[in-house]
Amino acid sequence: MEVEKEIRNKRLKLQAKEDRISALPDALIHHILSFLTSTKEAIQTSVLSKRWQNQWTRVPVLVFCGPVRSEENFSKLIDTTLILYDCSKIKKFHIQNYHCLKRDPQFSARIRFATKKHVEVLILDFYSSKANKLPRFLFNNASLVKLKTMNCKYMPNVMVNWRSLKKLKIENSRLTDQTIKNVFSGSPLLESLQLNSCVGFDHLVIASKSLKRSVLWELEFSDIEISCPNLKELTLAQLNNVNETLLDKAIANILCGCPVLESLEISNCDLFDELVIASTSLKRLGLSEIYHIYVIETSCPNLEKLKLSGVLNFKTSKLTNLPSLIYADLDVEPCVAIEKGIDESLGKQILLQLEHVKELKIGRPLIKILSALEVGGISCPLFKSKCLTLNYVDFDKHPAAVAYALRNSIMLQELIINVSTRHWSFNATDVLDLNDFGENYWKSKETFFHCLVSHLKIVKIFGFSKRDKKCRLVVNFVEFLLKNARVLEKLVVKISEKRGTEFAFNVSEKLLSFPRCSQHAIVELVCAK
């Protein structure tokens, strides 16, 4: 009897739960199902309740990702779903096919189904060996707000009527100059344009009064012209087959043709001879993985963020007129080795432009320059950085660079150090023996560092490894900090090894044994996951 009663209670509870699910309004059920990753998952929710059995047919989002097992099953899933689908309007229609090796024979029919339902977001991702040709009727669609295509063929001469389109992304396609011109003439509200891995251009012209954001990645063209009076963000990456002299002029023309441009990103290009960045509107500038540039000149009085990485000629390049700069990330290699002519005066010129930066990140070449300035006793304007990151720090070769940074960063609140590691093998206990080379450097530092007295609160050290002989020197530095940082609140040391239990234990013992000047200092030892 007790068993039957328990079974009856469980059945009543299940019925109550089902009733609560069934009581949800249709609109809320459709909204919940629209967040699932695929339509197949939405169909599977039919088991939750009798009332949910056909709810998926009225969800305004259709997402097909596959095939899971075979191309035939994937096509069958799409066709069966479209036959049973009963929603009057589609907000999003997405087909993503990873393994299709030929053109989809039902491609046009499925697109027509979506357009008849006034689709707003259309995403067609095909990884086939042959491009699927976009049907002519798609180019005359007033409901499209967002369109993304991969490996689709665009008609070169068809007129475009996308009067509601705001976002367009095209990947792996052969386009012509006329195609792009038609897109802009027929998309008066277009705000975002992204072209990835596209070929077929000669003289690429991007002209739009509405465009605000654009990404041009891995394109082939002989010349480029951008004239967009409202463009605010522009990214250029991996540009090919472009004459460097023409591209230098093109960048200057782009800055003139985009008077309100706030963000410019140029990456993975070695196509510049003399790059001049002059703009009163620019606030963010990124030049990443740029190689063999003889001259870079900047004149951006409102620039707030600057990121440079690659190879730079320190002697001819000038970072000038940057009074508003608050963030700088410089990881540039000199064209000529520092030991062969990049002297301290050139380093001092660079540092002069960074003295007012609030957050500063510097890499290996400037680390060497800081070390040379410290050893040579050369004075330099004090940094105003509140957060300083030193990358690729060699504690055996350039501990003076860290000392220089502490001495000249009088307002420093957070210090982040990424240790440059070399993979030498030592025992877990031997590696913490401090009676070795470099031991006396930090112990001999009796010089007054202003930031240690009143500002430095957080220190993070990454790349600590038992395989690295220099880790004993890092421990020396940690001991120095704990002994002298009066307002220190947190010191984090991250160990690179995932399975360094013995090593981590020995390190923690060593760190906990050091005296602390700050009563509030917390030492955290973090092991890599």
Side-chain angles (χ1 to χ4, degrees), residues 16 61 107 139 142 180 195 204 222 225-226 288 291 313 370 376 378-379 391 410 444 448 467 484 507 510 513:
V61 174
F107 181 72
F139 294 91
I180 295 300
L195 302 178
L204 178 58
S222 59
E225 180 182 343
I226 300 178
S288 303
Y291 299 100
N313 191 321
L370 293 185
I378 300 175
S379 61
N391 292 319
I410 59 172
S444 64
F448 176 80
R467 295 175 295 175
N484 296 280
V507 171
K510 182 67 68 174
S513 68

Side-chain angles (χ1 to χ4, degrees), residues 282-285 300-306 322 324-325:
L282 210 59
K283 294 183 179 180
R284 296 174 296 277
L285 173 63
C300 305
N302 294 304
L303 193 70
E304 297 175 356
K305 294 185 177 182
L306 172 66
L322 304 173
S324 303
L325 198 64

Side-chain angles (χ1 to χ4, degrees), residues 214-414:
S214 184
V215 177
L216 307 178
W217 182 78
E218 200 174 8
L219 304 183
E220 293 185 4
F221 51 80
S222 59
D223 195 11
I224 182 173
E225 180 182 343
I226 300 178
S227 179
C228 303
N230 293 301
L231 189 69
K232 291 188 176 182
E233 300 177 15
L234 175 62
T235 299
L236 306 173
Q238 295 187 15
L239 304 182
N240 303 315
N241 296 342
V242 187
N243 182 283
E244 58 267 21
T245 304
L246 291 177
L247 193 54
D248 289 338
K249 295 178 180 178
I251 296 298
N253 292 334
I254 288 171
L255 293 173
C256 292
C258 305
V260 298
L261 188 66
E262 295 181 357
S263 177
L264 175 61
E265 299 281 341
I266 304 175
S267 64
N268 293 97
C269 296
D270 55 358
L271 305 169
F272 298 103
D273 183 20
E274 182 175 348
L275 181 59
V276 178
I277 306 293
S279 170
T280 56
S281 62
L282 210 59
K283 294 183 179 180
R284 296 174 296 277
L285 173 63
L287 303 176
S288 303
E289 305 301 324
I290 306 295
Y291 299 100
H292 310 300
I293 302 180
Y294 295 101
V295 179
I296 290 182
E297 293 187 9
T298 62
S299 180
C300 305
N302 294 304
L303 193 70
E304 297 175 356
K305 294 185 177 182
L306 172 66
K307 182 176 182 179
L308 296 180
S309 68
V311 177
L312 183 66
N313 191 321
F314 286 1
K315 291 185 176 182
T316 56
S317 299
K318 298 178 181 179
L319 303 179
T320 57
N321 194 16
L322 304 173
S324 303
L325 198 64
I326 58 176
Y327 172 92
D329 184 353
L330 304 183
D331 188 14
V332 288
E333 295 283 352
C335 292
V336 184
I338 290 177
E339 292 80 8
K340 296 181 180 180
I342 305 300
D343 56 23
E344 293 80 2
S345 62
L346 291 172
K348 189 172 180 179
Q349 278 183 352
I350 296 175
L351 296 175
L352 279 170
Q353 299 300 320
L354 305 176
E355 60 175 324
H356 55 281
V357 172
K358 295 292 190 292
E359 184 175 352
L360 177 62
K361 297 181 180 180
I362 57 178
R364 187 181 292 112
L366 288 178
I367 293 290
K368 294 179 180 180
I369 289 176
L370 293 185
S371 183
L373 292 172
E374 173 73 8
V375 172
I378 300 175
S379 61
C380 192
L382 299 175
F383 296 140
K384 296 179 181 178
S385 300
K386 293 184 178 180
C387 180
L388 175 64
T389 300
L390 305 177
N391 292 319
Y392 315 112
V393 176
D394 288 316
F395 270 88
D396 60 340
K397 291 185 177 181
H398 304 104
V402 182
Y404 183 89
L406 290 174
R407 185 193 315 280
N408 290 278
S409 305
I410 59 172
M411 302 175 67
L412 187 63
Q413 296 179 7
E414 182 175 358

